[in-house]
Amino acid sequence: MTIIRSIASEGAYDTLFIQGKNRNIDLGLRVHLEADQQLHIQQLVIENTFLPLVKSGDGLLSIGRLQIKDFGGDGINLWGNGLSIHQLIVRNSTPTRPYHTLRVTALTETQILAALQASKQQVYDWRLLQWLETQENGQTVFYSPGYHSDIALQAYRPKPKTVTSRYFLPTDQTSEPSSEFMPLHLPVEQLETLALNFAPPPLDLVTGSQARSLTMISPINRLLDQVAETPYSLELDTKNRIRAIDLHVPLANPQLKAPIPNAPEDLAGIAEVTIRELDIQTNDANSQLFMLSEQQRYRNFKIGTDKIVINCRYPWWFVANTLEDSVIGNANKVQINQGRSSLAKVRIGDGQDNSKYCIKPSSCSTGEVSLVGLGKTGHVVPTTVRIL
């Protein structure tokens, strides 16, 4: 991934304009602030990137007006505490990667467009897709991993490069495998082994013709479908071929029902996030907006407290695995899908109640959260969340 601009120090800027060159690999602005540092940008405009803004560290980044447009992935990746935005404007977020994994046997325009059409997917430019080359039954095949875009905010604290192998143990295995740790840096050469161990066909859940159709989905395909649901980045060669996948957090093991004990990153989580005014427009049905998807603690979020103008097709405009001490809404002006028949609501899980609305099993809890002025019905939240 190409970083257009980096800032790793305190300071203040009046206006920054950042424009990328490749909508499928460029990162617009990378900011890292230690806990005692602060950076203020009065007006920030980022265009034509894959990831417009990534902020890490626990120092405070404050932005008066942030406009992100013409991008292909997430809007903001937040990897630490401390983000304050007065006005967030999101426009023209056209996915540059498929939502579901794409498979072809030759990298030709005809095959790629046919695969997109067959899977009812669209991307900004098929020529920008990245491909993983592998062998299946003696035949060369190519996969382009899916990517789930969160066009407003995706927040999580990345894990170290290795995590305990318990994330990957199947349910019928009671002892640890010989290797205690599983790397989150996955070279192409390791993917097939991981796919066979981690993503076996779920044939015990289905029978008949449905089971037979599942056997046609390769282990690599099933693994990449799991990768698509996990924050990740790609290591590429000069021909846009995938050499490795870097997972930022562990894959969600579908066979693992109970939460893994909290790691230091989970306990620290993400906190102190304020975005007062929202103006977000998208027509892509798979584009999610705010996503707090990990088993980490999410605390002190204040989202849309002054103004909310949203048009989206995804049914949940704000999603959190768990959430604490937060306010969503309370704006004087609220327009969500105005003029549309489809609704967009709030979804929050709770690890303590084994909520089915948790994206990942979590030992964190949800409490002291208020939804204000967003309508009284349609939200899916624990009883600890007040709907006002």
Side-chain angles (χ1 to χ4, degrees), residues 240-295:
N240 225 24
R241 302 289 179 86
I242 297 170
R243 302 310 311 151
I245 297 175
D246 282 308
L247 303 175
H248 297 176
V249 296
L251 296 170
N253 189 335
Q255 298 177 314
L256 193 64
K257 304 305 180 184
I260 292 293
N262 290 110
E265 300 80 22
D266 301 328
L267 295 173
I270 302 292
E272 306 302 333
V273 178
T274 298
I275 306 178
R276 297 185 181 279
E277 296 187 9
L278 309 178
D279 185 351
I280 304 172
Q281 310 290 323
T282 178
N283 286 316
D284 182 69
N286 291 322
S287 288
Q288 302 156 171
L289 275 61
F290 290 86
M291 181 62 65
L292 319 181
S293 59
E294 300 308 309
Q295 65 175 60

Side-chain angles (χ1 to χ4, degrees), residues 5 50 64 92 132 143 147-148 158 206 223 292 296 302 304-305 314 325 344 366 375:
R5 180 160 184 176
F50 180 68
N92 196 21
L132 185 154
Y143 287 99
Y147 191 95
H148 296 182
V206 293
L223 175 64
L292 319 181
Q296 304 175 354
K302 296 179 177 62
T305 54
Y314 197 74
D325 303 324
T366 288

